[in-house]
Amino acid sequence: MKRSVALAAALLAGLTSIGSIPGAASADGPGYHDDRKGGDHHHGDEGAVFVQTNKAEGNTIKVYDRDEDGKLTKAGEYETGGLGGFTIGAPLDALASQGSLTYHRGLLFAVNAGSNTVTVFRVEGTGLHKLQVIWSGGLLPVSVAARGDLVYVLNAGGEGSVQGFELHKGRLSRIEDANRSLGLHNGNPPAFGTAPAQVKIDPDSEFVLVSTKAANVMFSYEIGRNGKLSRNPVISDAGNTPFGFTFDTDDSLLVTESGANAVSRFELEDDGALDQVGPSVPNGQQATCWIQRVGDYFFVANAGSSTISSYRVDDDGKLELVKNVAADTNGGSIDMTTSDGFLYVQNATAGNVQGYKVHEDGSLNLVTTVEGLPKFADGIGMEGIAAS
C-alpha cells in the first residue's frame, strides 16, 4: 500500500524539480480547533459561522451569529481585499477543495484564488478586522491548514505547491525553505479533476499532508525545524480520487474517495506513509468529497446527490457506515464546518447554508437555513465555511 521515500523522490524527479517559487510576498497594512467537540465553545455558548462568497469581482466573508440553539442570523459582510477564483469544469464547487476558509486561534484565513493571496482576519465575536493580505506562494490558493504557529497554503494552479508560513501576532511571514512543488503539470486555472484538494497538518505537527484527486495519492512532507518542509515527500496510494480528509486519532485519518463514493481509513506511519486499515466503505451516493467530524461521527457531503452520509469508527477500529442518507439537503452540498455540536453545510446550487443539530446517535435535525448566498453559476460560486 505505501511507497518508499526513495520511490517518492524518483517519481517527483520525473515530474518536476522541487524548489521555491520565486516572488516576493506583499502585505496589507499554539492550540487547535477540536473537531470532536464541534468547536472552541462549550455547550450553550454562542459563536459565529463564516461563509466565503468567492466572488470573482471581489471576495467577501459573510458572518452569521449562532445562538445556543444553532440558529444563524446575519451579522455582516467583509471584503477580503482579493478576488474569487475557479477551476475549469467544476460541476458546482468552484475551488474543488476542502478548507479554503479556516478558523484558528481567533483568526480567520481566507484564500483569494483569483488574485493568488491569503487574507488574515482577527475575529472578535461576529466582527472581522483585516490584518493582512499576503501572497500565497503560488497560483490559485484553495486550502489552508493551521496548527500552533505554523500555517500552510495549498496552491492548485500550475504544478501545484505548498507554501509554509510562520504565524506571529496575527501576521504571516513566509518560511523560505517551505515551498514545495507538487509536480502536477496543470494549467492555471487547473482542471477540476486534476487540481489538488486539501492540505492539513497532522495532530502531532510532524507532517503536512496533501490530497491530489486524479493522481490517486497523498503527499506527506515532514515538518522540520522552524516549519521547513522535507525536500521530497512520501507518496502513498489513497484510493480512488482522494479529496477531503480529517483525523480520527493522532495517527489515523479518514479520507473521502470521490471517485468511488466511499470513505477509507488510514494509519499515518512514523515515516509519513499511509497504510490503509480495512476496506473502503461506500455509501451509495454521488460525488463524496467533503468530510467533517462532530463528536464520534464523521459526516460526508455528497455533492452529486445533495445528501449527507454518516460514518463512525467502532471500538475495534473498524470504519462503518451509519446512514447512507443522514440528511437530504436539496442544494448541492459541498464544504462543512462544526460549532458546539452543530453541523453547518454549504449548499452551492441552492445558495444557502443549513445547520443541523447532531444527536447522540448521529442523527441530524435541521435547525436553521440562511439564504441569499451566491449560487453556483457559469463555473463559479461560493466555497469555504468555518466557525468559531
Side-chain angles (χ1 to χ4, degrees), residues 102 104-105 107 109-110 118-120 134 136 143-154 162-168 171-175 178 199 201 208 223 227 229:
T102 299
H104 173 67
R105 285 181 165 185
L107 299 172
F109 302 92
V118 174
T119 301
V120 185
I134 189 169
S136 67
S143 181
V144 180
R147 195 178 294 280
D149 295 322
L150 295 176
V151 175
Y152 294 90
V153 176
L154 174 62
V162 176
Q163 173 66 60
F165 297 87
E166 182 181 10
L167 178 62
H168 181 66
R171 296 181 69 87
L172 298 174
S173 58
R174 185 167 175 255
I175 302 172
V199 63
I201 308 168
V208 170
I223 301 174
L229 295 179

Side-chain angles (χ1 to χ4, degrees), residues 292 294 297-300 307-311 322-323 325-329 336 341-345 354-367:
Q292 176 65 59
V294 186
Y297 296 91
F298 298 85
F299 298 93
V300 299
T307 57
I308 305 298
S309 300
S310 56
Y311 290 80
V322 178
K323 282 190 175 183
V325 179
D328 192 339
T329 67
M336 299 176 288
F342 298 98
L343 176 71
Y344 294 95
V345 182
Q354 294 175 326
Y356 295 85
K357 180 176 177 58
V358 180
H359 296 281
E360 290 186 3
D361 62 356
S363 60
L364 298 177
N365 178 43
L366 181 65
V367 295

